[in-house]
Amino acid sequence: MLRFNALNDVLKRTPKHVEYPSDKISEFYATNVFTQEKMREFLPKEAYESVMASINEGTRIDRNIASQVASSMKDWALTKKVTHYTHWFQPLTGATAEKHDSFFTPISGGRGIERFDGDNLIQQEPDASSFPNGGIRNTFEARGYTAWDPTSPAFIIGRTLCIPTVFIAYTGEALDYKMPLLKALHAVDKAATAVCQYFDKDVNKVNASLGWEQEYFLIDSSLFNARPDIMMAGRALVGHNPAKGQQLDDHYFGSISERVVAFMKEFEIESLKLGIPVTTRHNEVAPNQFECAPMFEETNLANDHNLLLMDIMEKIARKHDFRILFHEKPFKSVNGSGKHNNWSLSTNTGVNLLSPGKNPKTNLRFLTFFVNTIKAIYDNADILRASIATAGNDHRLGANEAPPAIMSVFIGSQLTQMLDNIEKNVKAGKMTPEDKTELKLSIGKIPQILLDNTDRNRTSPFAFTGNKFEFRAVGSSANCASAMIALNAIIAKQLNEFKKSVDIAINKGVKKDEAIIKELQRLIKESKAIRFEGNGYGDEWVKEAERRGLSNLKDTPRAIKTMVDKNTKKLFAELEVFTEKELEARYEIELENYILKLQIESRVLGDIARNHILPTAFKYQNVLLQNIKGMDDVFGKENKEMTSTQRDVLKQLSLHVNTIKQKTDEMLEERKLANKIESPEKKALAYCDKVKPYFDEIKYHSDKLELMIDDTMWPLPKLREMLFTK
Ligand code: ADP
Ligand code: MG
């Protein structure tokens, strides 16, 4: 049986030996990246300066320069034995895509040369018809193209030079995650730079930074292959809780098994060569769950790095006979996986705008960005919620673990006091010199209070952690761009409004600091309801949030509807991040993704129930029947008490068997009905409300059977086997 063969495989595993390429990490760090340093070495001065200007100021690179860059890139790549190049992009499938072309070009006389020119660098036309486009391409334009993103450096994987690109339809609509992310980052740069002018005229650029923390599960590849549900849907659709779960908390920060360490070491080496600054590794809360985190970087680059890392992890895991699960909730009974997005804003002058300064002036700057962030979340919680909604994340948000589906902001008791203080004590009308002195004193206290790092809340979806916000509701399998587009766009919008209001006051003759403080006071008051310091898991919070008028959108179809409402369209259009058409298309794609995921889960579950679980139950029933017959022969039919246990088990088996059969049939009927629905919106709701509820019911009865049936007959690897094998 596959299960026992798999378990045997696991027993024979030994850790693979992995060597560092050299003694120090710094010696091989970023060796496979066309870094700024290498650009300086390989590029003519004019071309180098043009690329740097494009990175720092967003200026265009002309064709002539692009040809010089291409030629230098090729020269560098050839020194690394590279033969092919590809445009690397992020279609809305969620994975990354590439189409490889060879440098090699045949020329006359049976010879060939290595060629890569500016046109190859700038633009490519992948066959785009198989990527999701939400109707954009069908309706408007059949072709799309990829275009070079010079802000993210080219890198080498194997023997291929990869060029980060955006993916756009010929009619101009973005077909990927990178294009709108770059636009949102541009919007927040513009808005934040303008606000920074109140405090420091030298600021001319603000970068949003992203530091993600990637959680994942590992399971042995043989066990993985014996579980059709995990193979097809990424999660266990059946399986009883192991006797020991995460109650003991002994996995968290515990020692990591040698096999896993070898895997981590190898993927870290590969990541470091690609310039991904991974620094942290540790176990997570659940058994066989781990986390990896790099140093934070500029958001676009950080996101490219996250996608690259996920790719690398997947490949390296197989080399170590593991399979990596990025699903948000692979196992119902243990903690799910997230991808915390640590976010902040920093200036070209080297200031972190969410880090309190050393004096009242810099602290007022801090408060400005801090309070505006809170207000942006308050006004646009539903947009943020929509940005992280997926079928996988639905199992995590709102389940009994961090974080809930209700968006709220945690800032700690001391900053809460600070905001309360401003809210209550800044008087209406003109401020007196005494008022100002008092306020300065109070604002000046922030740096001290933030040293107290014990003030942390792990249950909040959006928490301030000293010098950054941590958006914890992002799912582990997500492309961070989705969350980062939403977050940076709503911050941009809020900062624009803030600037407008403060300028109006200043034009009326109010002093700048006073105008800022008064506006902050208003924002603090208006956004108070989004601040929550308590336990985000509790039922009380659900009730309290409802009283406060906060949304609690528990599933994807309901959460993503916000993407296409009037306010969302207006917000994104004004910031030039998404057109209405693009939002409509993305909405449709996400609905389709959701439907497909649930459809696959439902089919796999049906297969497992009919082909694995029920036949196993029948076999075991036969064993019991044989046993009862034999017992009756020996002790006589009339001595029923001799076989009472067997009869009892037989009866219970039949009850569960019948229920599974009935529920599986009903699920199939509901699926058929749902599939007939034309509107993707209604279809997604049907899958959510009519099909999905069967999953847990069928699982419940299957798990009961798992507990009753002879262990040697059970065909599917059990949760304890998948979670506790090292
Ligand atoms: P944890 O959340 O696990 O307690 P930390 O709070 O120490 O971990 O940091 C988590 C992440 O925050 C790290 O990956 C780090 O790179 C990132 N980070 C630190 N400063 C910033 C910043 N200014 N902007 C974005 N991310 C940051
Ligand atoms: Mg964290």
Side-chain angles (χ1 to χ4, degrees):
M1 191 170 28
L2 202 48
R3 172 172 160 232
F4 289 103
N5 288 341
L7 286 168
N8 264 330
D9 286 349
V10 177
L11 285 178
K12 284 186 233 135
R13 305 268 191 233
T14 49
K16 298 252 184 320
H17 182 72
V18 179
E19 285 271 10
Y20 278 109
S22 50
D23 292 344
K24 286 193 207 132
I25 289 178
S26 55
E27 284 165 7
F28 63 89
Y29 181 64
T31 42
N32 289 346
V33 187
F34 198 51
T35 56
Q36 292 186 8
E37 203 178 311
K38 279 170 209 133
M39 269 192 254
R40 196 164 22 217
E41 186 188 329
F42 281 83
L43 283 178
K45 190 158 180 283
E46 180 200 15
Y48 173 75
E49 276 164 8
S50 174
V51 175
M52 293 316 290
S54 168
I55 294 173
N56 295 326
E57 287 134 47
T59 51
R60 282 184 84 89
I61 295 175
D62 75 43
R63 291 239 153 193
N64 182 22
I65 298 280
S67 285
Q68 294 181 27
V69 177
S71 155
S72 312
M73 254 185 206
K74 184 196 69 188
D75 291 346
W76 167 70
L78 290 178
T79 67
K80 314 273 294 175
K81 301 197 171 102
V82 166
T83 54
H84 286 68
Y85 70 92
T86 179
H87 276 198
W88 181 81
F89 59 106
Q90 305 168 23
L92 297 166
T93 46
T96 55
E98 42 202 74
K99 173 188 167 235
H100 295 219
D101 281 304
S102 161
F103 283 150
F104 172 77
T105 318
I107 54 173
S108 65
R111 291 173 307 138
I113 52 164
E114 267 68 33
R115 176 182 279 164
F116 182 56
D117 59 27
D119 289 346
N120 302 136
L121 170 65
I122 290 180
Q123 196 166 315
Q124 243 190 350
E125 280 181 44
D127 174 17
S129 51
S130 51
F131 295 111
N133 59 69
I136 283 181
R137 239 178 280 109
N138 305 338
T139 331
F140 301 99
E141 172 60 65
R143 290 174 310 158
Y145 64 93
T146 52
W148 178 34
D149 165 22
T151 61
S152 184
F155 54 89
I156 295 170
I157 290 192
R159 291 192 149 202
T160 304
L161 175 70
C162 303
I163 296 144
T165 53
V166 294
F167 182 32
I168 318 167
Y170 266 95
T171 38
E173 288 83 11
L175 297 172
D176 71 346
Y177 286 105
K178 191 189 255 284
M179 187 71 199
L181 177 63
L182 290 170
K183 288 177 172 174
L185 293 172
H186 178 66
V188 84
D189 170 17
K190 252 185 11 195
T193 301
V195 171
C196 279
Q197 294 294 307
Y198 290 139
F199 308 99
D200 181 355
K201 297 276 179 220
D202 288 340
V203 173
N204 56 36
K205 166 122 181 130
V206 172
N207 269 325
S209 54
L210 165 64
W212 42 263
E213 304 165 51
Q214 179 71 56
E215 292 183 335
Y216 60 95
F217 280 85
L218 284 177
I219 64 173
D220 188 274
S221 47
S222 292
L223 295 171
F224 173 91
N225 286 323
R227 290 284 310 216
D229 47 353
I230 301 185
M231 275 177 84
M232 313 298 287
R235 72 181 183 105
L237 295 167
V238 296
H240 198 273
N241 293 350
K244 175 185 157 186
Q246 60 192 50
Q247 307 93 327
L248 297 175
D249 271 339
D250 52 354
H251 189 67
Y252 197 51
F253 284 116
S255 71
I256 304 174
S257 87
E258 274 183 67
R259 250 185 98 192
V260 175
V261 169
F263 155 73
M264 287 177 168
K265 196 168 153 190
E266 185 163 357
F267 89 68
E268 283 170 7
I269 291 171
E270 291 312 309
S271 310
L272 288 161
K273 283 189 200 160
L274 287 169
I276 307 172
V278 286
T279 49
T280 316
R281 57 160 95 132
H282 62 76
N283 289 358
E284 262 304 324
V285 180
N288 273 6
Q289 190 189 28
F290 308 92
E291 180 187 294
C292 149
M295 261 293 286
F296 66 96
E297 300 174 286
E298 183 279 317
T299 300
N300 174 42
L301 182 60
N303 188 45
D304 282 358
H305 279 169
N306 178 245
L307 292 164
L308 253 182
L309 176 103
M310 288 169 77
D311 241 27
I312 295 168
M313 287 172 107
E314 189 116 45
K315 282 187 199 132
I316 305 288
R318 288 173 195 239
K319 268 178 84 174
H320 291 255
D321 301 306
F322 282 124
R323 293 303 288 262
I324 190 159
L325 307 181
F326 287 120
H327 194 285
E328 282 75 14
K329 193 80 181 173
F331 306 101
K332 194 172 184 330
S333 54
V334 297
N335 258 31
S337 298
K339 177 148 54 195
H340 295 176
N341 277 203
N342 294 274
W343 169 89
S344 187
L345 294 171
S346 62
T347 66
N348 60 305
T349 55
V351 170
N352 176 352
L353 295 170
L354 288 169
S355 187
K358 292 198 171 63
N359 53 50
K361 185 177 152 215
T362 48
N363 275 334
L364 187 59
R365 182 186 63 205
F366 160 73
L367 273 179
T368 297
F369 285 92
F370 181 68
V371 170
N372 273 290
T373 302
I374 298 171
K375 178 65 160 59
I377 310 295
Y378 173 72
D379 283 347
N380 306 288
D382 288 351
I383 293 183
L384 212 54
R385 171 69 184 91
S387 77
I388 48 152
T390 58
N393 218 11
D394 280 0
H395 297 285
R396 187 171 154 255
L397 303 178
N400 235 353
E401 65 180 84
I406 308 162
M407 291 295 124
S408 67
V409 181
F410 170 86
I411 60 172
S413 55
Q414 315 247 30
L415 281 166
T416 300
Q417 246 173 39
M418 173 99 236
L419 297 195
D420 287 350
N421 214 4
I422 296 175
E423 185 192 339
K424 291 197 192 85
N425 298 338
V426 176
K427 299 184 195 83
K430 210 168 150 36
M431 284 166 94
T432 64
E434 291 80 46
D435 292 342
K436 284 184 186 165
T437 312
E438 196 181 317
L439 199 71
K440 271 187 184 165
L441 274 176
S442 137
I443 290 178
K445 280 191 203 129
I446 301 175
Q448 300 148 31
I449 60 182
L450 286 192
L451 288 179
D452 179 14
N453 231 343
T454 52
D455 197 7
R456 283 204 160 195
N457 179 325
R458 298 263 161 205
T459 68
S460 173
F462 200 86
F464 185 69
T465 51
N467 57 2
K468 61 189 182 290
F469 278 96
E470 185 169 348
F471 188 17
R472 300 199 179 112
V474 185
S476 48
S477 70
N479 182 322
C480 304
S482 186
M484 287 296 111
I485 292 164
L487 179 60
N488 288 293
I490 64 175
I491 301 285
K493 175 188 183 243
Q494 175 55 36
L495 290 172
N496 286 339
E497 282 175 4
F498 174 79
K499 176 88 173 38
K500 223 195 255 150
S501 305
V502 172
D503 282 352
I504 289 173
I506 292 175
N507 286 336
K508 282 187 189 150
V510 182
K511 280 259 182 342
K512 186 178 74 187
D513 284 1
E514 194 175 329
I516 291 174
I517 276 284
K518 286 269 164 69
E519 181 62 13
L520 290 181
Q521 181 188 35
R522 187 172 73 82
L523 301 184
I524 291 169
K525 271 188 198 157
E526 285 176 8
S527 63
K528 209 169 170 181
I530 200 81
R531 276 160 38 205
F532 178 62
E533 304 286 305
N535 175 13
Y537 302 175
D539 288 338
E540 307 81 60
W541 172 227
V542 176
K543 286 185 211 123
E544 166 69 16
E546 204 183 326
R547 265 196 298 278
R548 293 187 187 188
L550 302 179
S551 313
N552 184 6
L553 299 163
K554 285 198 186 122
D555 52 64
T556 295
R558 286 170 180 87
I560 61 177
K561 208 163 169 9
T562 312
M563 292 172 73
V564 288
D565 75 21
K566 226 173 58 217
N567 290 336
T568 313
K569 285 179 172 169
K570 185 159 169 280
L571 184 149
F572 283 113
E574 276 174 12
L575 294 167
E576 296 180 16
V577 172
F578 285 126
T579 61
E580 267 194 34
K581 200 158 83 186
E582 286 173 315
L583 281 172
E584 298 274 4
R586 263 155 220 265
Y587 177 54
E588 199 180 298
I589 289 168
E590 296 208 2
L591 287 170
E592 251 147 40
N593 279 342
Y594 180 83
I595 293 164
L596 277 177
K597 288 256 161 68
L598 265 69
Q599 204 168 52
I600 292 170
E601 290 189 345
S602 166
R603 284 193 189 136
V604 176
L605 184 57
D607 286 354
I608 290 181
R610 274 190 294 257
N611 307 334
H612 292 71
I613 315 262
L614 293 184
T616 307
F618 299 151
K619 273 188 215 150
Y620 190 50
Q621 280 174 325
N622 282 343
V623 171
L624 291 172
L625 285 171
Q626 275 319 125
N627 177 289
I628 294 169
K629 267 197 197 136
M631 293 287 277
D632 285 351
D633 283 351
V634 175
F635 298 104
K637 258 194 161 81
E638 60 288 0
N639 281 319
K640 278 209 167 34
E641 70 284 359
M642 296 304 290
T643 54
S644 64
T645 303
Q646 292 86 323
R647 284 167 190 277
D648 200 33
V649 173
L650 200 55
K651 210 160 96 192
Q652 284 185 46
L653 281 173
S654 300
L655 286 176
H656 292 304
V657 161
N658 290 342
T659 316
I660 290 176
K661 166 75 170 63
Q662 186 201 335
K663 296 291 170 191
T664 311
D665 289 349
E666 285 173 20
M667 178 173 74
L668 181 69
E669 285 311 309
E670 288 295 350
R671 206 166 73 219
K672 279 189 190 154
L673 288 177
N675 289 343
K676 287 205 190 97
I677 301 174
E678 277 288 325
S679 139
E681 195 173 292
K682 291 197 180 114
K683 191 165 166 178
L685 281 170
Y687 264 96
C688 181
D689 298 338
K690 304 283 187 187
V691 179
K692 197 172 77 174
Y694 285 103
F695 297 179
D696 274 349
E697 277 194 79
I698 296 169
K699 177 181 185 301
Y700 174 84
H701 292 282
S702 164
D703 291 357
K704 289 282 176 216
L705 288 179
E706 184 190 319
L707 287 181
M708 295 164 70
I709 291 174
D710 179 0
D711 184 59
T712 62
M713 296 176 88
W714 194 255
L716 300 166
K718 298 187 171 181
L719 258 55
R720 63 160 193 271
E721 291 158 350
M722 290 187 286
L723 287 170
F724 289 94
T725 45
K726 300 273 177 184

PDB file of all heavy atoms in Angstrom, residues 73 78 98 107 139 204 300 338 395 400 455 459 592 600:
ATOM      1  N   MET A  73      25.027  43.476 -20.232  1.00  0.00           N
ATOM      2  CA  MET A  73      24.386  42.387 -19.486  1.00  0.00           C
ATOM      3  C   MET A  73      24.815  41.048 -20.070  1.00  0.00           C
ATOM      4  O   MET A  73      25.126  40.114 -19.356  1.00  0.00           O
ATOM      5  CB  MET A  73      22.867  42.494 -19.627  1.00  0.00           C
ATOM      6  CG  MET A  73      22.164  42.994 -18.408  1.00  0.00           C
ATOM      7  SD  MET A  73      20.394  42.891 -18.745  1.00  0.00           S
ATOM      8  CE  MET A  73      19.832  44.170 -17.652  1.00  0.00           C
ATOM      9  N   LEU A  78      27.727  36.048 -20.090  1.00  0.00           N
ATOM     10  CA  LEU A  78      28.581  35.050 -20.748  1.00  0.00           C
ATOM     11  C   LEU A  78      29.743  34.628 -19.842  1.00  0.00           C
ATOM     12  O   LEU A  78      30.181  33.476 -19.885  1.00  0.00           O
ATOM     13  CB  LEU A  78      29.108  35.591 -22.086  1.00  0.00           C
ATOM     14  CG  LEU A  78      28.047  35.724 -23.194  1.00  0.00           C
ATOM     15  CD1 LEU A  78      28.654  36.322 -24.463  1.00  0.00           C
ATOM     16  CD2 LEU A  78      27.369  34.392 -23.510  1.00  0.00           C
ATOM     17  N   GLU A  98       7.950  32.712 -17.430  1.00  0.00           N
ATOM     18  CA  GLU A  98       9.128  33.049 -18.213  1.00  0.00           C
ATOM     19  C   GLU A  98       9.063  32.349 -19.568  1.00  0.00           C
ATOM     20  O   GLU A  98       8.440  31.304 -19.708  1.00  0.00           O
ATOM     21  CB  GLU A  98      10.397  32.657 -17.455  1.00  0.00           C
ATOM     22  CG  GLU A  98      10.319  31.314 -16.770  1.00  0.00           C
ATOM     23  CD  GLU A  98      11.328  31.185 -15.617  1.00  0.00           C
ATOM     24  OE1 GLU A  98      11.127  31.788 -14.545  1.00  0.00           O
ATOM     25  OE2 GLU A  98      12.300  30.471 -15.826  1.00  0.00           O
ATOM     26  N   ILE A 107      24.181  32.606 -38.046  1.00  0.00           N
ATOM     27  CA  ILE A 107      24.416  33.557 -39.139  1.00  0.00           C
ATOM     28  C   ILE A 107      24.916  32.773 -40.351  1.00  0.00           C
ATOM     29  O   ILE A 107      25.072  31.562 -40.281  1.00  0.00           O
ATOM     30  CB  ILE A 107      25.415  34.676 -38.742  1.00  0.00           C
ATOM     31  CG1 ILE A 107      26.723  34.057 -38.213  1.00  0.00           C
ATOM     32  CG2 ILE A 107      24.812  35.605 -37.725  1.00  0.00           C
ATOM     33  CD1 ILE A 107      27.815  35.089 -37.972  1.00  0.00           C
ATOM     34  N   THR A 139     -11.903  41.009 -25.221  1.00  0.00           N
ATOM     35  CA  THR A 139     -12.733  42.104 -25.664  1.00  0.00           C
ATOM     36  C   THR A 139     -11.950  43.166 -26.423  1.00  0.00           C
ATOM     37  O   THR A 139     -12.432  43.741 -27.374  1.00  0.00           O
ATOM     38  CB  THR A 139     -13.391  42.791 -24.448  1.00  0.00           C
ATOM     39  OG1 THR A 139     -13.537  41.801 -23.442  1.00  0.00           O
ATOM     40  CG2 THR A 139     -14.717  43.375 -24.804  1.00  0.00           C
ATOM     41  N   ASN A 204      13.239  64.464  -1.614  1.00  0.00           N
ATOM     42  CA  ASN A 204      12.655  64.456  -2.961  1.00  0.00           C
ATOM     43  C   ASN A 204      12.215  63.073  -3.413  1.00  0.00           C
ATOM     44  O   ASN A 204      11.770  62.876  -4.527  1.00  0.00           O
ATOM     45  CB  ASN A 204      13.611  65.098  -3.972  1.00  0.00           C
ATOM     46  CG  ASN A 204      14.968  64.403  -3.966  1.00  0.00           C
ATOM     47  OD1 ASN A 204      15.038  63.182  -3.790  1.00  0.00           O
ATOM     48  ND2 ASN A 204      16.030  65.161  -4.129  1.00  0.00           N
ATOM     49  N   ASN A 300       9.203  46.963  -4.365  1.00  0.00           N
ATOM     50  CA  ASN A 300       9.187  46.257  -5.655  1.00  0.00           C
ATOM     51  C   ASN A 300      10.253  45.156  -5.678  1.00  0.00           C
ATOM     52  O   ASN A 300       9.994  44.016  -6.061  1.00  0.00           O
ATOM     53  CB  ASN A 300       9.416  47.271  -6.783  1.00  0.00           C
ATOM     54  CG  ASN A 300       9.549  46.624  -8.145  1.00  0.00           C
ATOM     55  OD1 ASN A 300       8.804  45.703  -8.483  1.00  0.00           O
ATOM     56  ND2 ASN A 300      10.509  47.086  -8.926  1.00  0.00           N
ATOM     57  N   GLY A 338       1.061  32.397   7.317  1.00  0.00           N
ATOM     58  CA  GLY A 338       0.872  33.743   6.793  1.00  0.00           C
ATOM     59  C   GLY A 338       2.164  34.249   6.188  1.00  0.00           C
ATOM     60  O   GLY A 338       3.172  33.542   6.129  1.00  0.00           O
ATOM     61  N   HIS A 395      -9.538  30.182   5.210  1.00  0.00           N
ATOM     62  CA  HIS A 395      -9.478  29.201   6.298  1.00  0.00           C
ATOM     63  C   HIS A 395      -8.699  29.730   7.487  1.00  0.00           C
ATOM     64  O   HIS A 395      -8.739  29.176   8.566  1.00  0.00           O
ATOM     65  CB  HIS A 395      -8.781  27.920   5.833  1.00  0.00           C
ATOM     66  CG  HIS A 395      -9.519  27.228   4.740  1.00  0.00           C
ATOM     67  ND1 HIS A 395     -10.664  26.510   4.968  1.00  0.00           N
ATOM     68  CD2 HIS A 395      -9.291  27.161   3.413  1.00  0.00           C
ATOM     69  CE1 HIS A 395     -11.095  26.017   3.816  1.00  0.00           C
ATOM     70  NE2 HIS A 395     -10.286  26.404   2.860  1.00  0.00           N
ATOM     71  N   ASN A 400      -9.990  30.314  14.430  1.00  0.00           N
ATOM     72  CA  ASN A 400      -9.563  30.669  15.771  1.00  0.00           C
ATOM     73  C   ASN A 400      -8.057  30.873  15.879  1.00  0.00           C
ATOM     74  O   ASN A 400      -7.379  30.241  16.666  1.00  0.00           O
ATOM     75  CB  ASN A 400     -10.015  29.587  16.746  1.00  0.00           C
ATOM     76  CG  ASN A 400     -10.825  30.219  17.861  1.00  0.00           C
ATOM     77  OD1 ASN A 400     -10.911  31.449  17.935  1.00  0.00           O
ATOM     78  ND2 ASN A 400     -11.402  29.408  18.703  1.00  0.00           N
ATOM     79  N   ASP A 455       5.284  45.643  24.696  1.00  0.00           N
ATOM     80  CA  ASP A 455       3.918  46.003  24.392  1.00  0.00           C
ATOM     81  C   ASP A 455       3.557  45.494  23.001  1.00  0.00           C
ATOM     82  O   ASP A 455       3.504  46.244  22.047  1.00  0.00           O
ATOM     83  CB  ASP A 455       3.804  47.530  24.438  1.00  0.00           C
ATOM     84  CG  ASP A 455       2.364  47.963  24.538  1.00  0.00           C
ATOM     85  OD1 ASP A 455       1.505  47.080  24.702  1.00  0.00           O
ATOM     86  OD2 ASP A 455       2.103  49.163  24.445  1.00  0.00           O
ATOM     87  N   THR A 459      -2.343  39.244  17.959  1.00  0.00           N
ATOM     88  CA  THR A 459      -3.626  38.868  17.372  1.00  0.00           C
ATOM     89  C   THR A 459      -4.156  39.933  16.416  1.00  0.00           C
ATOM     90  O   THR A 459      -5.218  39.767  15.835  1.00  0.00           O
ATOM     91  CB  THR A 459      -4.691  38.630  18.458  1.00  0.00           C
ATOM     92  OG1 THR A 459      -4.995  39.883  19.081  1.00  0.00           O
ATOM     93  CG2 THR A 459      -4.193  37.658  19.507  1.00  0.00           C
ATOM     94  N   GLU A 592     -12.884  33.857 -10.531  1.00  0.00           N
ATOM     95  CA  GLU A 592     -12.605  32.611 -11.241  1.00  0.00           C
ATOM     96  C   GLU A 592     -11.604  31.737 -10.490  1.00  0.00           C
ATOM     97  O   GLU A 592     -11.779  30.527 -10.389  1.00  0.00           O
ATOM     98  CB  GLU A 592     -12.108  32.909 -12.657  1.00  0.00           C
ATOM     99  CG  GLU A 592     -13.146  32.550 -13.692  1.00  0.00           C
ATOM    100  CD  GLU A 592     -13.118  33.471 -14.898  1.00  0.00           C
ATOM    101  OE1 GLU A 592     -12.015  33.838 -15.342  1.00  0.00           O
ATOM    102  OE2 GLU A 592     -14.219  33.835 -15.370  1.00  0.00           O
ATOM    103  N   ILE A 600     -11.849  22.259  -7.578  1.00  0.00           N
ATOM    104  CA  ILE A 600     -10.820  21.218  -7.460  1.00  0.00           C
ATOM    105  C   ILE A 600     -10.950  20.510  -6.116  1.00  0.00           C
ATOM    106  O   ILE A 600     -10.952  19.276  -6.033  1.00  0.00           O
ATOM    107  CB  ILE A 600      -9.407  21.822  -7.614  1.00  0.00           C
ATOM    108  CG1 ILE A 600      -9.199  22.309  -9.048  1.00  0.00           C
ATOM    109  CG2 ILE A 600      -8.332  20.816  -7.226  1.00  0.00           C
ATOM    110  CD1 ILE A 600      -7.950  23.131  -9.270  1.00  0.00           C
TER     111      ILE A 600
END
